[in-house]
């Protein structure tokens, strides 16, 4: 079995990291740039904040963003399922995709 992971070098807060990833180099670099920007934005609000503390706060902020997006996606998915359920009775029987329409 061949290893499909690529080695990608990224820079976060001036430090270089070598990452092994199955994602594309472009994606991995974009993720690292987002993390770097988030840490820098947090640190810009304080002249004395340690990098480690800023990294933890950035992780919390990024995770909060992820959870909010997942929740929004769940809402859209539920809305789409409800819409499909509402529309199904309006379709001709052959287009409903249920056994009653197929008979």
């Amino acid at each position: 079995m061949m290893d499909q992971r690529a080695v990608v070098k990224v820079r976060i807060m001036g430090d270089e990291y070598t990452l092994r990833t199955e994602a594309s180099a472009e994606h991995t670099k974009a993720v690292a740039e987002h993390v770097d920007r988030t840490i820098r934005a947090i640190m810009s609000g304080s002249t004395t904040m340690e990098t480690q503390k800023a990294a933890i706060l950035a992780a919390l902020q990024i995770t909060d963003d992820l959870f909010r997006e997942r929740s929004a996606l769940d809402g859209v998915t539920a809305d789409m399922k409800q819409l499909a359920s509402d529309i199904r009775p309006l379709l001709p029987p052959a287009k409903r995709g249920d056994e009653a329409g197929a008979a």
Side-chain angles (χ1 to χ4, degrees), residues 22-98:
E22 293 177 5
S24 70
E26 295 79 19
H27 174 80
T28 303
K29 288 177 182 179
V31 168
E33 288 170 6
H34 180 69
V35 170
D36 185 68
R37 277 193 311 273
T38 304
I39 294 171
R40 288 181 188 281
I42 289 169
M43 290 187 75
S44 72
S46 172
T47 57
T48 59
M49 184 174 294
E50 298 172 13
T51 304
Q52 180 180 357
K53 187 172 186 176
I56 291 169
L57 293 174
L60 288 169
Q61 181 177 330
I62 291 167
T63 303
D64 181 57
D65 292 345
L66 171 66
F67 283 16
R68 288 176 190 268
E69 290 298 323
R70 282 182 178 170
S71 179
L73 180 59
D74 289 345
V76 170
T77 300
D79 290 347
M80 288 177 61
K81 286 180 180 179
Q82 183 61 49
L83 181 59
S85 177
D86 293 346
I87 291 174
R88 182 168 281 117
L90 304 174
L91 295 173
K95 299 286 185 177
R96 288 184 192 159
D98 55 20

